[in-house]
Amino acid sequence: MKRRDFLQNTFTGVVMPALINGISFKAFGNIDENTIGDDNVLVVIQLSGGNDGLNTVIPIDKYALYQNARTNIAIPKNKLLSIPQNDTLGLNPSMTPLQTMFKEGKAALIQGVGYPNPNFSHFRATDIWNSASDSNVFINNGWAGRYLAIENPNYPTGYPNQRNPDPLAIQIGSVVSTALQGPIRSMGMAISNPSNFYDLISNKVESVPNTLAGKELKYLREVANQTNLYANSIKNAASKVTKQVTYPNSSLAGQLKIVAQLIGGGLKTKIYFVNINGFDTHSNQVNTLDTTTGTHANLLKTVTEAIKAFHQDLVGMGASKRVLGVTYSEFGRRIKSNASGGTDHGAAAPMFLFGDLVNPIVLGKSADISATPNANDNITMQYDFRSVYASILTQWFCLDEAYVDDVLLKDFQPLPLIQPQACGKITANEPIIVNEELLSNYPNPFSDSTTIRFKTLGGHTMIQIFDNIGRLVAVPIDNEYEAGIHSITIDTSNYSSGMYFARLQNNSMQQIHRMMK
């Protein structure tokens, strides 16, 4: 049986809960240093609800089109925050901490991240991101869980043990992310909230009612505290950190403070998941008298302030070179704002990476915005989110590329997001082609056929055709090509009238082009 078939057929996602003082420990795993061979740590921040990417990263080069599409929520051009990596975009003015990290070379941005045929349900879209599956494929295990299982093939037999005492992955929250689901059981454990974490490390037992049932519950919690497989290793790591920077007063900051404490204390956990809610901004997204303020601005300020404090904390502990952070949201929002001063569920959105060894770049161009946008227009996907995962797996966790398609279920090309020395390499990242037009079609507008002209650097080359909602219409090219300029004529007689987007992918080089029938 192929490894991929084994993973898909045996990852059952069984959950075996145990309680420690109110903290739900869903399942457990360990680091095997012989198979992983490094101590790089990934911290994933989920922006739950669907972040409005177009008011997060604003297109300066298409500002008039942006403002026309969002007359009631547009951010004033003179308020945007510039970054040295790209002068065609501006960050939301509430994101000053992240702007500083871009200036320091500690942050990266990928524009237009999504997947074909997007799903606009919060629950299903989150499952797709966590499982790394196609939108029409249902899988009950996750990309991170599959990776950890490959690196720990004997799990759970013999785990934990004296040599490997630490959790493999930790979710700060009451439920372990689907992304961490592995074979038999979850590959991670959950710490339900910061207050319970501090109860745990101080040996404090949560108060209970002064009743017979309450006394029994107290006894059970005490026993759980004493016998839990990982409580001691967590407490030992946390106790080694006695001084941290001052964090903002927010739930996300509290979660990241715990993560920093455990990393700084030497816990060998590889992956952490944290979460912030509130991004489902259908109405009152901004204050009408000042669009730089309001719900969305407050959320972005909370996120970026927490990230900045977290990174400063890691620097102070001497652990910052070991940590890569990444943000994601289950989907973005529509291009055109609605009459309620908000935005509706959309498709692609930006992702941010941060850390000492991130490649401080901006990938992708400004969103394609029509002069006459309608309520269904979506941000076009420029990069598949699974290419970001492929980059993390190969460039941060140093996974052999031969196994990447086993983790991601298909072949997705990595992007140059992390500096090569993260995996002990001394070669430079491949050059990024930004301004050259690699993709065109003629005639445009077209009727029954059109010829697509494209440039490839050689190797695997794919062209996909999407409609304005993000649905995949056709894949006219998906093959190996020699380097150079090529063309192909496609039959479009069955296409409905309207706007389409051709997307070229050639290894890490990806570009989109608007077409009209």
Side-chain angles (χ1 to χ4, degrees), residues 110-175:
I110 316 149
Q111 301 206 77
V113 184
Y115 55 90
N117 304 313
N119 190 291
F120 303 124
S121 158
H122 293 290
F123 300 106
R124 177 58 189 149
T126 299
D127 282 345
I128 292 167
W129 276 80
N130 287 341
S131 65
S133 64
D134 289 343
S135 62
N136 63 341
V137 176
F138 293 81
I139 298 175
N140 65 352
N141 52 78
W143 71 278
R146 293 192 294 269
Y147 157 67
L148 294 172
I150 286 176
E151 295 292 352
N152 297 267
N154 295 323
Y155 177 83
T157 303
Y159 291 81
N161 53 57
Q162 185 175 0
R163 184 173 179 270
N164 301 293
D166 298 337
L168 184 59
I170 292 177
Q171 166 89 48
I172 308 297
S174 58
V175 179

Side-chain angles (χ1 to χ4, degrees), residues 42-63:
L42 175 69
V43 179
V44 181
I45 304 174
Q46 181 180 359
L47 314 181
S48 296
N51 179 41
D52 179 15
L54 201 53
N55 262 25
T56 302
V57 180
I58 294 89
I60 295 175
D61 55 337
K62 299 175 182 175
Y63 187 82

Side-chain angles (χ1 to χ4, degrees), residues 403-434:
Y403 299 131
V404 173
D405 65 336
D406 292 326
V407 176
L408 301 180
L409 311 178
K410 286 185 178 180
D411 180 18
F412 292 96
Q413 303 301 312
L415 308 169
L417 297 176
I418 301 163
Q419 296 181 34
Q421 58 264 41
C423 284
K425 301 177 182 178
I426 58 174
T427 57
N429 279 314
E430 61 184 277
I432 303 168
I433 299 175
V434 177

Side-chain angles (χ1 to χ4, degrees), residues 149-218:
I150 286 176
E151 295 292 352
N152 297 267
N154 295 323
Y155 177 83
T157 303
Y159 291 81
N161 53 57
Q162 185 175 0
R163 184 173 179 270
N164 301 293
D166 298 337
L168 184 59
I170 292 177
Q171 166 89 48
I172 308 297
S174 58
V175 179
V176 177
S177 170
T178 310
L180 295 174
Q181 292 295 322
I184 311 291
R185 60 178 75 178
S186 172
M187 301 296 285
M189 56 170 271
I191 298 176
S192 60
N193 60 59
S195 62
N196 285 336
F197 168 76
Y198 293 113
D199 287 349
L200 170 67
I201 64 176
S202 64
N203 288 314
K204 178 182 177 182
V205 177
E206 188 177 338
S207 61
V208 295
N210 187 24
T211 64
L212 179 61
K215 292 177 181 178
E216 291 176 348
L217 178 59
K218 180 180 179 180

Side-chain angles (χ1 to χ4, degrees), residues 254-323:
Q255 294 173 58
L256 289 175
K257 184 178 181 180
I258 290 174
V259 174
Q261 186 174 358
L262 295 177
I263 293 172
L267 204 71
K268 295 178 181 180
T269 298
K270 295 292 295 180
I271 301 174
Y272 295 86
F273 273 75
V274 298
N275 177 75
I276 175 172
N277 295 310
F279 284 88
D280 196 16
T281 52
H282 285 281
S283 62
N284 302 316
Q285 181 172 314
V286 302
N287 290 326
T288 54
L289 297 179
D290 181 1
T291 58
T292 66
T293 64
T295 301
H296 191 237
N298 292 337
L299 287 164
L300 295 177
K301 180 181 180 182
T302 297
V303 170
T304 56
E305 284 183 345
I307 287 174
K308 182 62 174 173
F310 175 63
H311 183 257
Q312 289 175 332
D313 206 8
L314 294 171
V315 170
M317 297 176 187
S320 58
K321 290 189 181 301
R322 296 177 47 225
V323 181

